[in-house]
Coordinates of all heavy atoms in Angstrom, one line a residue:
M1 N 0.8 -1.2 0.0 CA 0.0 0.0 0.0 C 0.9 1.2 0.0 O 0.6 2.2 -0.7 CB -0.9 0.0 1.2 CG -1.9 1.1 1.2 SD -3.3 0.9 2.4 CE -2.4 1.2 3.9
S2 N 2.0 1.2 0.8 CA 2.8 2.4 0.8 C 3.5 2.6 -0.5 O 3.7 3.7 -0.9 CB 3.9 2.2 1.9 OG 3.3 2.0 3.1
A3 N 3.9 1.5 -1.2 CA 4.5 1.7 -2.5 C 3.6 2.3 -3.5 O 4.0 3.1 -4.4 CB 5.0 0.3 -3.0
S4 N 2.3 2.0 -3.5 CA 1.4 2.5 -4.4 C 1.0 4.0 -4.1 O 0.7 4.8 -5.0 CB 0.1 1.7 -4.4 OG -0.6 1.8 -3.2
I5 N 1.1 4.4 -2.8 CA 0.9 5.8 -2.4 C 2.1 6.6 -2.9 O 1.9 7.7 -3.5 CB 0.8 5.9 -0.9 CG1 -0.5 5.3 -0.4 CG2 0.8 7.4 -0.5 CD1 -0.7 5.2 1.1
I6 N 3.3 6.1 -2.8 CA 4.5 6.9 -3.2 C 4.6 7.0 -4.8 O 5.0 8.1 -5.3 CB 5.7 6.3 -2.6 CG1 5.7 6.4 -1.1 CG2 7.0 6.9 -3.2 CD1 6.8 5.6 -0.4
S7 N 4.2 6.0 -5.5 CA 4.4 6.0 -6.9 C 3.4 6.9 -7.6 O 2.3 7.1 -7.2 CB 4.3 4.6 -7.5 OG 3.0 4.1 -7.2
K8 N 3.8 7.4 -8.8 CA 3.0 8.3 -9.6 C 2.2 7.6 -10.7 O 1.1 8.0 -11.1 CB 3.8 9.4 -10.2 CG 4.5 10.3 -9.1 CD 5.4 11.3 -9.8 CE 6.1 12.1 -8.7 NZ 7.0 13.1 -9.2
T9 N 2.8 6.5 -11.2 CA 2.2 5.8 -12.3 C 2.2 4.3 -12.0 O 2.8 3.9 -11.0 CB 2.9 6.0 -13.6 OG1 4.3 5.5 -13.5 CG2 3.0 7.5 -14.0
V10 N 1.5 3.6 -12.8 CA 1.4 2.1 -12.6 C 2.7 1.5 -12.9 O 3.2 0.6 -12.1 CB 0.3 1.5 -13.5 CG1 0.3 0.0 -13.4 CG2 -1.1 2.1 -13.2
K11 N 3.4 2.0 -13.9 CA 4.8 1.4 -14.2 C 5.8 1.7 -13.0 O 6.6 0.8 -12.7 CB 5.3 2.0 -15.5 CG 6.5 1.4 -16.0 CD 6.8 1.9 -17.4 CE 8.0 1.2 -18.0 NZ 8.3 1.6 -19.3
E12 N 5.7 2.8 -12.5 CA 6.6 3.1 -11.3 C 6.2 2.3 -10.1 O 7.1 1.8 -9.4 CB 6.5 4.6 -11.0 CG 7.4 5.1 -10.0 CD 7.3 6.6 -9.7 OE1 6.5 7.2 -10.3 OE2 8.0 7.0 -8.8
S13 N 4.9 2.0 -9.9 CA 4.5 1.2 -8.8 C 5.0 -0.3 -9.0 O 5.4 -0.9 -8.0 CB 3.0 1.2 -8.8 OG 2.5 0.3 -7.8
Q14 N 5.0 -0.8 -10.2 CA 5.6 -2.1 -10.5 C 7.0 -2.1 -10.2 O 7.5 -3.2 -9.7 CB 5.3 -2.5 -12.0 CG 3.8 -2.8 -12.3 CD 3.6 -3.0 -13.7 OE1 4.4 -2.7 -14.6 NE2 2.4 -3.5 -14.0
N15 N 7.8 -1.1 -10.5 CA 9.2 -1.0 -10.2 C 9.4 -1.1 -8.7 O 10.4 -1.7 -8.2 CB 9.8 0.2 -10.8 CG 10.0 0.1 -12.3 OD1 10.0 -0.9 -12.8 ND2 10.0 1.3 -12.9
Y16 N 8.5 -0.4 -7.9 CA 8.7 -0.5 -6.5 C 8.3 -1.8 -5.9 O 8.8 -2.3 -4.9 CB 7.8 0.6 -5.8 CG 8.3 2.0 -6.0 CD1 7.4 3.1 -6.1 CD2 9.7 2.3 -6.2 CE1 7.9 4.4 -6.4 CE2 10.1 3.6 -6.4 CZ 9.2 4.6 -6.5 OH 9.6 5.9 -6.7
L17 N 7.3 -2.5 -6.5 CA 6.8 -3.7 -5.9 C 7.7 -5.0 -6.3 O 7.6 -6.0 -5.6 CB 5.4 -4.0 -6.4 CG 4.3 -3.1 -5.8 CD1 3.0 -3.3 -6.4 CD2 4.3 -3.3 -4.3
S18 N 8.5 -4.8 -7.3 CA 9.4 -6.0 -7.6 C 10.3 -6.4 -6.5 O 10.4 -7.6 -6.2 CB 10.2 -5.7 -8.9 OG 9.4 -5.5 -10.0
P19 N 11.1 -5.5 -5.8 CA 11.9 -5.9 -4.7 C 11.1 -6.5 -3.5 O 11.5 -7.4 -2.8 CB 12.6 -4.7 -4.3 CG 12.5 -3.7 -5.4 CD 11.3 -4.1 -6.1
I20 N 9.9 -5.9 -3.3 CA 9.0 -6.4 -2.3 C 8.6 -7.8 -2.5 O 8.5 -8.7 -1.6 CB 7.8 -5.4 -2.1 CG1 8.3 -4.1 -1.6 CG2 6.8 -6.0 -1.1 CD1 7.2 -3.0 -1.6
T21 N 8.3 -8.1 -3.8 CA 7.9 -9.5 -4.2 C 9.1 -10.4 -3.9 O 8.9 -11.6 -3.5 CB 7.5 -9.5 -5.6 OG1 6.4 -8.6 -5.9 CG2 7.0 -10.9 -6.0
M22 N 10.3 -10.0 -4.2 CA 11.4 -10.8 -4.0 C 11.6 -11.1 -2.5 O 12.1 -12.2 -2.1 CB 12.7 -10.2 -4.5 CG 12.8 -10.2 -6.0 SD 12.7 -11.9 -6.7 CE 14.2 -12.6 -6.1
L23 N 11.2 -10.2 -1.6 CA 11.3 -10.4 -0.2 C 10.4 -11.6 0.3 O 10.6 -12.2 1.3 CB 10.9 -9.2 0.6 CG 11.9 -8.0 0.7 CD1 11.3 -6.8 1.4 CD2 13.1 -8.5 1.4
V24 N 9.4 -11.9 -0.5 CA 8.5 -13.0 -0.2 C 9.0 -14.3 -0.7 O 8.9 -15.3 -0.1 CB 7.1 -12.7 -0.8 CG1 6.2 -13.9 -0.5 CG2 6.5 -11.4 -0.1
I25 N 9.8 -14.2 -1.9 CA 10.3 -15.4 -2.5 C 11.6 -15.9 -1.8 O 11.8 -17.1 -1.6 CB 10.5 -15.2 -4.0 CG1 9.2 -15.0 -4.7 CG2 11.3 -16.4 -4.6 CD1 9.3 -14.5 -6.1
L26 N 12.4 -15.0 -1.3 CA 13.7 -15.4 -0.8 C 13.6 -16.2 0.5 O 14.4 -17.1 0.7 CB 14.5 -14.2 -0.5 CG 15.1 -13.5 -1.8 CD1 15.9 -12.3 -1.5 CD2 16.0 -14.5 -2.6
P27 N 12.7 -16.0 1.4 CA 12.6 -16.8 2.6 C 12.3 -18.3 2.3 O 12.8 -19.2 3.0 CB 11.5 -16.3 3.5 CG 11.4 -14.9 3.0 CD 11.8 -14.8 1.6
T28 N 11.6 -18.6 1.3 CA 11.3 -19.9 0.9 C 12.6 -20.6 0.4 O 12.8 -21.8 0.8 CB 10.3 -20.0 -0.2 OG1 9.3 -19.0 -0.1 CG2 9.5 -21.3 -0.2
L29 N 13.4 -19.9 -0.3 CA 14.7 -20.5 -0.8 C 15.6 -20.6 0.4 O 16.4 -21.6 0.5 CB 15.3 -19.6 -1.8 CG 14.5 -19.4 -3.1 CD1 15.1 -18.4 -4.0 CD2 14.4 -20.7 -3.8
F30 N 15.6 -19.7 1.3 CA 16.5 -19.8 2.5 C 16.1 -21.0 3.4 O 17.0 -21.6 3.9 CB 16.4 -18.5 3.3 CG 17.2 -18.4 4.5 CD1 18.6 -18.4 4.5 CD2 16.6 -18.5 5.8 CE1 19.3 -18.3 5.6 CE2 17.4 -18.4 6.9 CZ 18.7 -18.4 6.8
L31 N 14.8 -21.2 3.6 CA 14.4 -22.3 4.5 C 14.4 -23.7 3.8 O 14.2 -24.7 4.4 CB 13.0 -22.0 5.0 CG 12.9 -21.0 6.1 CD1 11.5 -20.8 6.5 CD2 13.7 -21.5 7.3
G32 N 14.7 -23.7 2.5 CA 14.7 -25.0 1.8 C 15.8 -25.9 2.3 O 15.6 -27.1 2.3
G33 N 16.9 -25.3 2.6 CA 18.0 -26.2 3.1 C 18.1 -26.3 4.6 O 18.9 -27.0 5.1
T34 N 17.1 -25.7 5.3 CA 17.1 -25.8 6.8 C 16.2 -26.9 7.2 O 15.0 -27.0 6.8 CB 16.6 -24.5 7.4 OG1 17.4 -23.4 6.9 CG2 16.7 -24.5 8.9
G35 N 16.7 -27.8 8.1 CA 15.9 -28.9 8.5 C 14.9 -28.5 9.6 O 15.0 -27.4 10.2
L36 N 13.9 -29.3 9.9 CA 12.9 -29.0 10.9 C 13.5 -28.8 12.3 O 13.0 -27.9 13.0 CB 11.8 -30.1 10.9 CG 10.6 -29.8 11.8 CD1 9.9 -28.6 11.3 CD2 9.8 -31.1 11.8
H37 N 14.5 -29.5 12.7 CA 15.0 -29.4 14.0 C 16.1 -28.3 14.1 O 16.7 -28.1 15.1 CB 15.6 -30.8 14.5 CG 14.5 -31.8 14.5 ND1 13.5 -31.8 15.5 CD2 14.3 -32.9 13.8 CE1 12.7 -32.8 15.3 NE2 13.2 -33.5 14.3
E38 N 16.4 -27.7 12.9 CA 17.4 -26.7 12.9 C 16.8 -25.3 13.1 O 17.5 -24.3 13.2 CB 18.2 -26.7 11.6 CG 19.0 -28.0 11.4 CD 19.7 -28.1 10.0 OE1 19.3 -27.2 9.2 OE2 20.5 -29.0 9.8
L39 N 15.5 -25.2 13.1 CA 14.8 -23.9 13.3 C 15.0 -23.4 14.7 O 14.8 -24.2 15.7 CB 13.3 -24.1 13.0 CG 13.0 -24.4 11.5 CD1 11.5 -24.6 11.4 CD2 13.4 -23.3 10.6
T40 N 15.4 -22.1 14.8 CA 15.6 -21.5 16.2 C 14.6 -20.4 16.3 O 13.8 -20.1 15.4 CB 17.0 -21.0 16.3 OG1 17.2 -20.0 15.3 CG2 18.0 -22.1 16.2
N41 N 14.7 -19.7 17.5 CA 13.7 -18.6 17.7 C 13.9 -17.4 16.7 O 13.0 -16.7 16.5 CB 13.9 -18.1 19.2 CG 13.3 -19.0 20.2 OD1 12.5 -19.9 19.8 ND2 13.8 -18.9 21.4
K42 N 15.1 -17.3 16.2 CA 15.3 -16.2 15.3 C 14.5 -16.4 14.0 O 14.1 -15.4 13.4 CB 16.8 -15.9 15.0 CG 17.4 -17.0 14.2 CD 18.9 -16.7 13.8 CE 19.4 -17.8 13.0 NZ 20.8 -17.6 12.5
H43 N 14.3 -17.6 13.6 CA 13.5 -17.9 12.4 C 12.1 -17.5 12.6 O 11.4 -17.1 11.7 CB 13.6 -19.4 12.1 CG 14.9 -19.8 11.6 ND1 15.8 -20.5 12.4 CD2 15.5 -19.7 10.4 CE1 16.9 -20.8 11.7 NE2 16.7 -20.3 10.5
F44 N 11.6 -17.5 13.9 CA 10.2 -17.1 14.1 C 10.0 -15.7 14.5 O 8.9 -15.2 14.7 CB 9.6 -18.0 15.2 CG 9.6 -19.5 14.8 CD1 10.6 -20.3 15.2 CD2 8.6 -19.9 14.0 CE1 10.6 -21.7 14.8 CE2 8.6 -21.3 13.6 CZ 9.6 -22.1 14.0
L45 N 11.1 -14.9 14.6 CA 11.0 -13.5 15.0 C 11.2 -12.6 13.7 O 10.8 -11.5 13.8 CB 12.1 -13.1 16.0 CG 11.8 -13.7 17.4 CD1 12.9 -13.3 18.4 CD2 10.5 -13.1 18.0
L46 N 11.9 -13.1 12.7 CA 12.0 -12.3 11.5 C 10.7 -12.3 10.7 O 10.1 -13.3 10.5 CB 13.1 -12.9 10.6 CG 14.5 -12.9 11.3 CD1 15.5 -13.6 10.4 CD2 15.0 -11.4 11.5
T47 N 10.3 -11.1 10.3 CA 8.9 -10.9 9.9 C 8.4 -11.8 8.8 O 7.4 -12.4 8.9 CB 8.7 -9.4 9.5 OG1 9.0 -8.6 10.7 CG2 7.3 -9.1 9.1
I48 N 9.1 -11.8 7.7 CA 8.6 -12.6 6.5 C 9.0 -14.0 6.7 O 8.3 -15.0 6.3 CB 9.0 -12.0 5.2 CG1 8.4 -10.6 5.1 CG2 8.6 -12.8 4.0 CD1 8.9 -9.8 3.9
L49 N 10.2 -14.3 7.2 CA 10.7 -15.6 7.4 C 9.9 -16.5 8.3 O 9.7 -17.7 8.1 CB 12.2 -15.5 7.8 CG 12.9 -16.8 7.9 CD1 13.1 -17.4 6.5 CD2 14.3 -16.6 8.6
N50 N 9.3 -15.8 9.3 CA 8.5 -16.6 10.3 C 7.3 -17.3 9.8 O 7.0 -18.4 10.3 CB 8.2 -15.7 11.5 CG 7.3 -14.5 11.2 OD1 6.8 -14.4 10.1 ND2 7.1 -13.7 12.2
I51 N 6.7 -16.7 8.8 CA 5.5 -17.4 8.3 C 5.9 -18.7 7.6 O 5.2 -19.7 7.8 CB 4.8 -16.5 7.3 CG1 4.2 -15.2 8.0 CG2 3.6 -17.2 6.6 CD1 3.7 -14.2 7.1
F52 N 6.9 -18.7 6.8 CA 7.4 -19.9 6.1 C 7.9 -20.9 7.1 O 7.7 -22.1 6.9 CB 8.4 -19.5 5.1 CG 7.8 -18.7 4.0 CD1 8.0 -17.3 3.9 CD2 7.1 -19.3 3.0 CE1 7.5 -16.6 2.9 CE2 6.5 -18.5 2.0 CZ 6.7 -17.2 1.9
A53 N 8.6 -20.4 8.2 CA 9.1 -21.4 9.2 C 8.0 -22.0 9.9 O 8.0 -23.2 10.2 CB 10.0 -20.6 10.1
L54 N 6.9 -21.3 10.2 CA 5.8 -21.9 10.9 C 5.0 -22.8 10.0 O 4.6 -23.9 10.4 CB 4.8 -20.7 11.3 CG 3.6 -21.2 12.2 CD1 4.2 -21.7 13.5 CD2 2.7 -20.0 12.5
F55 N 4.9 -22.5 8.7 CA 4.3 -23.4 7.7 C 5.1 -24.7 7.6 O 4.5 -25.8 7.5 CB 4.1 -22.8 6.4 CG 3.0 -21.8 6.2 CD1 2.9 -20.9 5.2 CD2 1.9 -21.8 7.1 CE1 1.9 -20.0 5.1 CE2 0.9 -20.9 7.0 CZ 0.8 -20.0 6.0
K56 N 6.4 -24.6 7.7 CA 7.2 -25.8 7.6 C 7.0 -26.7 8.8 O 6.9 -27.9 8.6 CB 8.7 -25.3 7.5 CG 9.6 -26.5 7.2 CD 11.0 -26.0 6.8 CE 11.8 -27.2 6.3 NZ 13.0 -26.7 5.6
E57 N 6.9 -26.1 9.9 CA 6.6 -26.9 11.1 C 5.2 -27.6 11.0 O 5.1 -28.7 11.4 CB 6.7 -26.0 12.4 CG 8.0 -25.9 13.0 CD 8.0 -25.4 14.4 OE1 6.9 -24.8 14.8 OE2 9.0 -25.5 15.1
L58 N 4.2 -26.8 10.6 CA 2.9 -27.3 10.6 C 2.7 -28.4 9.5 O 1.9 -29.3 9.7 CB 1.9 -26.2 10.4 CG 1.8 -25.2 11.5 CD1 0.9 -24.0 11.2 CD2 1.4 -25.9 12.8
I59 N 3.4 -28.3 8.4 CA 3.3 -29.3 7.4 C 3.8 -30.6 7.9 O 3.3 -31.7 7.6 CB 4.1 -28.9 6.1 CG1 3.3 -27.8 5.4 CG2 4.4 -30.0 5.2 CD1 4.1 -27.1 4.2
Y60 N 4.9 -30.6 8.7 CA 5.4 -31.8 9.3 C 4.7 -32.3 10.5 O 5.1 -33.3 11.2 CB 6.9 -31.7 9.6 CG 7.8 -31.7 8.3 CD1 8.4 -30.5 7.9 CD2 7.9 -32.8 7.5 CE1 9.1 -30.5 6.7 CE2 8.7 -32.8 6.4 CZ 9.3 -31.7 6.0 OH 10.0 -31.6 4.8
G61 N 3.7 -31.6 10.9 CA 2.9 -32.0 12.1 C 3.4 -31.6 13.4 O 2.9 -32.0 14.5
V62 N 4.3 -30.6 13.5 CA 4.8 -30.1 14.7 C 4.0 -28.9 15.1 O 4.0 -27.9 14.4 CB 6.3 -29.8 14.6 CG1 6.9 -29.2 15.9 CG2 7.1 -31.0 14.2
I63 N 3.4 -28.9 16.3 CA 2.6 -27.8 16.8 C 3.3 -27.3 18.1 O 3.2 -27.9 19.1 CB 1.2 -28.1 17.0 CG1 0.5 -28.6 15.7 CG2 0.4 -26.9 17.6 CD1 -0.9 -29.1 15.9
D64 N 4.0 -26.2 18.0 CA 4.7 -25.6 19.1 C 4.1 -24.2 19.4 O 4.2 -23.3 18.6 CB 6.2 -25.4 18.8 CG 7.0 -25.1 20.0 OD1 6.5 -25.0 21.1 OD2 8.3 -24.9 19.9
I65 N 3.5 -24.1 20.6 CA 2.7 -22.9 20.9 C 3.7 -21.7 21.1 O 3.3 -20.6 20.7 CB 2.0 -23.1 22.3 CG1 1.0 -24.3 22.1 CG2 1.3 -21.9 22.7 CD1 -0.1 -24.1 21.1
Q66 N 4.9 -21.9 21.5 CA 5.8 -20.8 21.7 C 6.2 -20.2 20.3 O 6.2 -19.0 20.1 CB 7.1 -21.3 22.3 CG 8.2 -20.2 22.4 CD 9.5 -20.7 22.9 OE1 9.7 -21.9 23.2 NE2 10.5 -19.8 23.1
N67 N 6.4 -21.1 19.3 CA 6.7 -20.6 18.0 C 5.5 -19.9 17.3 O 5.7 -18.9 16.6 CB 7.2 -21.7 17.1 CG 8.5 -22.3 17.5 OD1 9.2 -21.7 18.3 ND2 8.8 -23.5 17.1
I68 N 4.3 -20.4 17.6 CA 3.1 -19.7 17.1 C 3.0 -18.4 17.7 O 2.7 -17.4 17.1 CB 1.9 -20.6 17.3 CG1 1.9 -21.9 16.5 CG2 0.6 -19.8 17.0 CD1 0.9 -22.9 16.8
F69 N 3.2 -18.3 19.0 CA 3.1 -17.0 19.7 C 4.2 -16.0 19.2 O 3.9 -14.8 19.0 CB 3.3 -17.2 21.2 CG 3.3 -15.9 22.0 CD1 2.1 -15.2 22.2 CD2 4.4 -15.4 22.6 CE1 2.1 -14.0 22.9 CE2 4.4 -14.2 23.3 CZ 3.2 -13.5 23.4
L70 N 5.4 -16.5 19.0 CA 6.5 -15.6 18.5 C 6.2 -15.1 17.1 O 6.4 -13.9 16.8 CB 7.8 -16.4 18.5 CG 8.5 -16.7 19.8 CD1 9.7 -17.6 19.5 CD2 9.0 -15.4 20.4
T71 N 5.6 -15.9 16.3 CA 5.2 -15.5 14.9 C 4.1 -14.5 15.0 O 4.2 -13.5 14.3 CB 4.8 -16.7 14.1 OG1 5.9 -17.7 14.0 CG2 4.4 -16.3 12.7
A72 N 3.1 -14.8 15.8 CA 1.9 -13.9 15.9 C 2.4 -12.5 16.4 O 2.0 -11.5 15.9 CB 0.8 -14.5 16.7
S73 N 3.2 -12.5 17.5 CA 3.6 -11.2 18.1 C 4.5 -10.4 17.2 O 4.3 -9.2 17.0 CB 4.2 -11.5 19.4 OG 5.4 -12.3 19.3
S74 N 5.3 -11.1 16.5 CA 6.2 -10.4 15.5 C 5.4 -9.8 14.4 O 5.7 -8.7 13.9 CB 7.2 -11.4 14.9 OG 7.9 -10.8 13.9
L75 N 4.4 -10.6 13.9 CA 3.6 -10.0 12.8 C 2.7 -8.9 13.3 O 2.5 -7.9 12.5 CB 2.7 -11.2 12.2 CG 3.4 -12.2 11.4 CD1 2.5 -13.3 11.0 CD2 4.0 -11.5 10.2
I76 N 2.2 -8.9 14.5 CA 1.4 -7.8 15.0 C 2.2 -6.6 15.1 O 1.7 -5.5 14.7 CB 0.7 -8.2 16.3 CG1 -0.4 -9.3 16.1 CG2 0.2 -7.0 17.1 CD1 -0.9 -9.9 17.4
V77 N 3.4 -6.7 15.6 CA 4.3 -5.5 15.7 C 4.6 -4.9 14.3 O 4.5 -3.7 14.1 CB 5.6 -5.8 16.5 CG1 6.6 -4.7 16.4 CG2 5.2 -6.1 17.9
S78 N 4.9 -5.8 13.4 CA 5.3 -5.3 12.0 C 4.1 -4.7 11.3 O 4.2 -3.7 10.6 CB 5.9 -6.4 11.2 OG 5.0 -7.4 11.0
I79 N 2.9 -5.2 11.5 CA 1.7 -4.7 10.9 C 1.4 -3.3 11.5 O 1.0 -2.4 10.7 CB 0.5 -5.6 11.1 CG1 0.6 -6.9 10.2 CG2 -0.8 -4.9 10.8 CD1 -0.4 -7.9 10.5
I80 N 1.5 -3.1 12.8 CA 1.3 -1.8 13.4 C 2.3 -0.8 12.8 O 1.9 0.3 12.5 CB 1.4 -1.9 14.9 CG1 0.2 -2.7 15.5 CG2 1.5 -0.6 15.6 CD1 0.3 -3.1 16.9
L81 N 3.6 -1.2 12.7 CA 4.6 -0.3 12.1 C 4.3 0.1 10.7 O 4.4 1.3 10.3 CB 6.0 -0.9 12.3 CG 6.5 -1.0 13.7 CD1 7.9 -1.7 13.6 CD2 6.7 0.4 14.2
F82 N 3.9 -0.9 9.9 CA 3.7 -0.6 8.5 C 2.4 0.3 8.3 O 2.4 1.2 7.5 CB 3.5 -1.9 7.7 CG 4.8 -2.7 7.4 CD1 4.8 -4.0 7.6 CD2 5.9 -2.0 7.1 CE1 6.0 -4.7 7.4 CE2 7.1 -2.7 6.8 CZ 7.1 -4.0 7.0
F83 N 1.4 0.0 9.1 CA 0.2 0.9 9.0 C 0.5 2.3 9.5 O -0.1 3.3 9.0 CB -1.0 0.3 9.7 CG -1.8 -0.7 8.9 CD1 -2.1 -2.0 9.4 CD2 -2.2 -0.4 7.7 CE1 -2.8 -2.9 8.7 CE2 -3.0 -1.3 6.9 CZ -3.2 -2.5 7.4
A84 N 1.3 2.4 10.5 CA 1.7 3.8 11.0 C 2.4 4.6 9.9 O 2.1 5.7 9.7 CB 2.5 3.6 12.3
V85 N 3.4 3.9 9.3 CA 4.1 4.6 8.2 C 3.2 4.9 7.0 O 3.3 6.0 6.5 CB 5.3 3.7 7.7 CG1 5.9 4.2 6.5 CG2 6.4 3.6 8.8
S86 N 2.3 4.0 6.7 CA 1.4 4.3 5.6 C 0.4 5.4 5.9 O 0.1 6.2 5.1 CB 0.6 3.0 5.2 OG 1.4 2.0 4.8
R87 N 0.0 5.5 7.1 CA -0.9 6.5 7.6 C -0.2 7.9 7.5 O -0.8 8.9 7.1 CB -1.4 6.3 9.0 CG -2.4 7.3 9.4 CD -3.0 6.9 10.8 NE -4.1 7.7 11.1 CZ -4.1 8.9 11.7 NH1 -2.9 9.4 11.9 NH2 -5.2 9.5 12.0
I88 N 1.0 7.9 8.0 CA 1.8 9.2 7.9 C 2.0 9.6 6.5 O 1.8 10.8 6.2 CB 3.2 9.0 8.6 CG1 3.0 8.8 10.1 CG2 4.1 10.1 8.3 CD1 4.2 8.4 10.9
L89 N 2.3 8.7 5.6 CA 2.4 9.1 4.2 C 1.1 9.5 3.6 O 1.1 10.4 2.8 CB 3.0 7.9 3.4 CG 4.5 7.5 3.6 CD1 4.9 6.3 2.9 CD2 5.4 8.7 3.2
F90 N 0.0 8.8 3.9 CA -1.3 9.1 3.4 C -1.8 10.5 3.8 O -2.4 11.2 3.1 CB -2.3 8.1 3.7 CG -3.6 8.2 3.1 CD1 -3.7 7.9 1.7 CD2 -4.7 8.7 3.7 CE1 -4.9 8.1 1.1 CE2 -5.9 8.9 3.1 CZ -6.0 8.6 1.8
L91 N -1.4 10.9 5.0 CA -1.9 12.2 5.6 C -1.1 13.4 5.0 O -1.6 14.5 5.1 CB -1.8 12.2 7.1 CG -2.8 11.3 7.8 CD1 -2.5 11.4 9.3 CD2 -4.2 11.7 7.5
K92 N 0.0 13.1 4.4 CA 0.8 14.2 3.7 C 0.3 14.4 2.3 O 0.2 13.5 1.5 CB 2.3 13.9 3.7 CG 2.9 13.9 5.1 CD 4.4 13.6 5.0 CE 5.0 13.7 6.4 NZ 6.4 13.5 6.3
D93 N -0.1 15.7 2.0 CA -0.6 16.0 0.7 C 0.5 15.7 -0.4 O 0.1 15.5 -1.6 CB -1.1 17.4 0.6 CG -2.3 17.6 1.5 OD1 -3.0 16.7 1.8 OD2 -2.5 18.8 1.9
K94 N 1.7 15.8 0.0 CA 2.8 15.6 -1.0 C 2.7 14.2 -1.7 O 3.0 14.1 -2.9 CB 4.1 15.8 -0.3 CG 5.3 15.5 -1.1 CD 6.6 15.6 -0.3 CE 7.8 15.0 -1.0 NZ 9.0 15.0 -0.2
W95 N 2.4 13.2 -0.9 CA 2.4 11.9 -1.5 C 1.0 11.5 -2.1 O 1.0 10.7 -3.0 CB 2.6 10.8 -0.4 CG 4.0 11.0 0.2 CD1 4.3 11.4 1.5 CD2 5.2 10.7 -0.4 NE1 5.6 11.5 1.7 CE2 6.2 11.0 0.5 CE3 5.6 10.3 -1.6 CZ2 7.6 10.9 0.3 CZ3 7.0 10.1 -1.9 CH2 7.9 10.4 -1.0
V96 N -0.1 12.1 -1.6 CA -1.4 11.7 -2.1 C -1.8 12.5 -3.4 O -2.3 11.9 -4.3 CB -2.5 11.9 -1.0 CG1 -3.8 11.5 -1.5 CG2 -2.1 11.0 0.2
L97 N -1.5 13.8 -3.3 CA -2.0 14.6 -4.4 C -0.8 15.1 -5.3 O -0.2 16.1 -5.1 CB -2.7 15.9 -3.9 CG -3.9 15.6 -3.0 CD1 -4.4 16.9 -2.4 CD2 -5.0 14.9 -3.8
N98 N -0.4 14.2 -6.2 CA 0.8 14.6 -7.1 C 0.3 15.4 -8.2 O -0.6 15.2 -8.9 CB 1.4 13.3 -7.6 CG 2.3 12.7 -6.5 OD1 2.8 13.4 -5.6 ND2 2.4 11.4 -6.5

């Protein structure tokens, strides 16, 4: 949402969204070589990586409440930060009314 607010055209918005899309693809590649028992707390605290780490655990049938709580709390904090930044950008006329 923030990238679309900052961009002036659709083409410029696509240029901004390409690296963001790569941020979603890279954790899957990173966790591909990591075994289920090699996952640590840092895997569940990093914002985008934690979703894939939690999915990896759940696919293999491992349900760990601590890891679910770490993932949920990390995501809640990052969502609050992203919405705060987006709100600040949206309230500035410089970004909304080009």
